[in-house]
Amino acid sequence: MYLNGKKIIVGVTGSIAAYKSALLVRLLVKAGAEVQVIMTKAATEFITPLTLATLSRRPALSAYVQNDVGEWNNHVALGLWADLMVIAPATANTLAKCANGLCDDLLTAVYLSARCPVYFAPAMDLDMFRHPSTQQNLDRLRAYGNGIIEVGTGELASGLTGVGRLAEPEDIRQVLQNHFARIPVARGKRVLITAGPTQEDLDPVRFLGNRSSGRQGWALARVAAQRGARVTLVAGHTADLGAPAGVDVVAAGTAVAMEAAVRGAAADADAVVMAAAVADFRPVDTAADKIKRGDAEPAPLRLTQNPDILAGLVADPPRPGQVVVGFAAETGDADGDVLPHGRAKLARKGCDLLVVNAVGDGKAFETTDNAGWLLARDGGEDELPFGSKALLASRIWDAVVPRLR
Ligand code: CTP
């Protein structure tokens, strides 16, 4: 509903991923948006203007002048017409031009004239994407207030594997929807998100941990920020997975440290989403020096319970009316069904919503995609279909936002 009636310019540049722009245009039109396609000359060699014109129900423009009818495509008027502009795919060349104010074609001239928000969805080969000049151009475009839609990771058209893939059309649509959604719903709300694994030290070099990467929690933080919320991300042991400006990242490597960080920030939060994989136990003793192999049988590991941070929040809410979301990573029952465990955990934890994921066999942990169920205390059960973690994050916020006071 957020995209209905919105005027969107879809810029398409010369990348093999240009075929995906047809799907993006279709999704936007289906959502009720008015779409104007503007292509670079190179883009027309990858996908025909006829395809994009048919899907968008408007001529796909690529030149300043339509020579056959002598019609002038006014870049200033196009820039003023749009509520939003997205360039997908955006090649390294177009990013470089836009970052430096060059405008030798209609698309880059419209970009320079546009008064609306602009998003870039880059697509290129791994090494081009990683090149310091491309990264600097992306930083510059961000600094100018543009949105950069995360690239995907995987097999690239070159045959290499890595970062640089155009985000999936459904993900791009979701980012644009989030853009419009934030105005009525999440602006100014404060949210607290936990992400990633804790590590419970055995000695200075060893720990008890788990396979969580933190990607789902970081995606929740990014989407919340896109929607205009003020975000605190309490991160366990994760890499820096890219928080947008304004996300306050607090490192908390152990369950005890995470409990303190959550307690510190939760009093101000309208919603708390506990995506972290917190260790349930920690060693009773942490050796000051590295434990040596020795000749004797190893001593049994003595463990003690960690605080249950989520249960603590529910039992003693730091802020009335706060929405609390838990996660449950489950291997399922004998049939692999995770729902019975999820329902039991929701009842036990008493939170408002619980996201249930299947784990094991390469699912959920250490991957970029996810799927699961969203269970509500009031009995609702919605499937979260397989998709990127950003997409799942959007669906989770779609459920949380209407519950915010
Ligand atoms: N959690 C928490 N503190 C802990 C353990 C878990 O806050 N010490 C939170 C997690 O962040 C998650 C939810 O509780 O949101 C469920 O975590 P999970 O490990 O699945 O739950 P457990 O209570 O540990 O249940 P299980 O017996 O399945 O391990």
Side-chain angles (χ1 to χ4, degrees):
M1 67 175 172
Y2 298 112
L3 290 166
N4 194 22
K6 294 292 185 294
K7 300 189 182 81
I8 299 178
I9 290 176
V10 176
V12 183
T13 70
S15 151
I16 182 65
Y19 76 93
K20 289 191 186 171
S21 60
L23 303 174
L24 174 63
V25 168
R26 199 167 151 266
L27 287 171
L28 295 175
V29 169
K30 235 172 96 181
E34 279 183 59
V35 176
Q36 174 62 63
V37 174
I38 302 178
M39 307 172 77
T40 60
K41 195 161 177 321
T44 63
E45 297 184 9
F46 287 94
I47 183 165
T48 71
L50 181 61
T51 303
L52 295 175
T54 308
L55 291 169
S56 65
R57 302 170 192 155
R58 286 164 175 265
L61 310 175
S62 58
Y64 283 109
V65 180
Q66 287 178 272
N67 283 331
D68 47 345
V69 288
E71 196 172 306
W72 164 246
N73 293 319
N74 185 333
H75 57 91
V76 176
L78 284 164
L80 293 177
W81 170 83
D83 296 315
L84 185 142
M85 177 169 182
V86 57
I87 303 183
T91 56
N93 186 45
T94 295
L95 293 175
K97 287 204 268 180
C98 293
N100 290 284
L102 300 180
C103 57
D104 58 357
D105 59 18
L106 182 65
L107 179 61
T108 46
V110 171
Y111 163 71
L112 268 190
S113 321
R115 291 198 189 156
C116 63
V118 181
Y119 284 82
F120 289 86
M124 67 202 72
D125 209 47
L126 163 79
D127 298 303
M128 292 172 84
F129 183 73
R130 281 202 197 131
H131 197 282
S133 59
T134 303
Q135 289 302 316
Q136 212 166 31
N137 288 332
L138 287 168
D139 286 344
R140 191 181 273 194
L141 288 169
R142 268 190 211 101
Y144 292 158
N146 299 291
I148 307 296
I149 300 176
E150 275 172 79
V151 291
T153 304
E155 203 181 309
L156 302 165
S158 61
L160 296 176
T161 301
V163 286
R165 240 158 76 151
L166 179 66
E168 291 305 319
E170 179 57 30
D171 280 320
I172 299 174
R173 186 199 65 80
Q174 193 66 55
V175 169
L176 306 189
Q177 176 177 315
N178 288 341
H179 176 88
F180 291 112
R182 73 175 165 185
I183 293 154
V185 286
R187 190 159 60 182
K189 296 286 180 194
R190 282 178 185 271
V191 300
L192 169 63
I193 297 156
T194 66
T198 64
Q199 292 182 355
E200 312 296 329
D201 290 349
L202 288 160
D203 70 16
V205 293
R206 303 182 181 96
F207 59 85
L208 298 177
N210 60 71
R211 297 187 198 283
S212 163
S213 65
R215 287 192 186 98
Q216 185 63 72
W218 282 74
L220 281 157
R222 277 192 299 274
V223 171
Q226 281 166 13
R227 291 191 175 198
R230 288 191 277 167
V231 182
T232 301
L233 176 66
V234 174
H237 279 271
T238 75
D240 180 346
L241 297 173
V247 174
D248 186 13
V249 182
V250 181
T254 65
V256 169
M258 192 172 275
E259 184 189 41
V262 167
R263 276 275 150 203
D268 289 332
D270 298 294
V272 184
V273 182
M274 298 281 302
V278 186
D280 288 329
F281 309 107
R282 66 178 182 278
V284 172
D285 301 306
T286 300
D289 297 310
K290 188 180 168 207
I291 300 166
K292 304 303 283 181
R293 173 191 288 267
D295 294 327
E297 278 294 299
L301 206 51
R302 289 177 53 233
L303 300 176
T304 184
Q305 291 262 8
N306 268 330
D308 187 329
I309 308 167
L310 176 61
L313 278 182
V314 173
D316 179 16
R319 184 187 174 109
Q322 179 173 70
V323 179
V324 179
V325 184
F327 268 67
E330 305 288 346
T331 49
D333 61 13
D335 301 324
D337 185 359
V338 295
L339 270 175
H341 285 296
R343 290 180 189 125
K345 193 165 287 181
L346 177 63
R348 184 154 50 82
K349 300 265 182 182
C351 45
D352 300 284
L353 292 164
L354 189 83
V355 180
V356 190
N357 299 125
V359 289
D361 288 339
K363 290 194 212 110
F365 281 1
E366 299 176 302
T367 70
T368 52
D369 297 308
N370 207 352
W373 289 85
L374 187 62
L375 310 184
R377 199 166 43 149
D378 59 20
E381 293 192 350
D382 291 308
E383 189 165 6
L384 299 168
F386 186 80
S388 69
K389 289 186 173 173
L391 197 57
L392 226 79
S394 290
R395 300 231 157 94
I396 293 166
W397 288 119
D398 283 345
V400 172
V401 165
R403 291 174 158 86
L404 296 175
R405 283 243 181 119

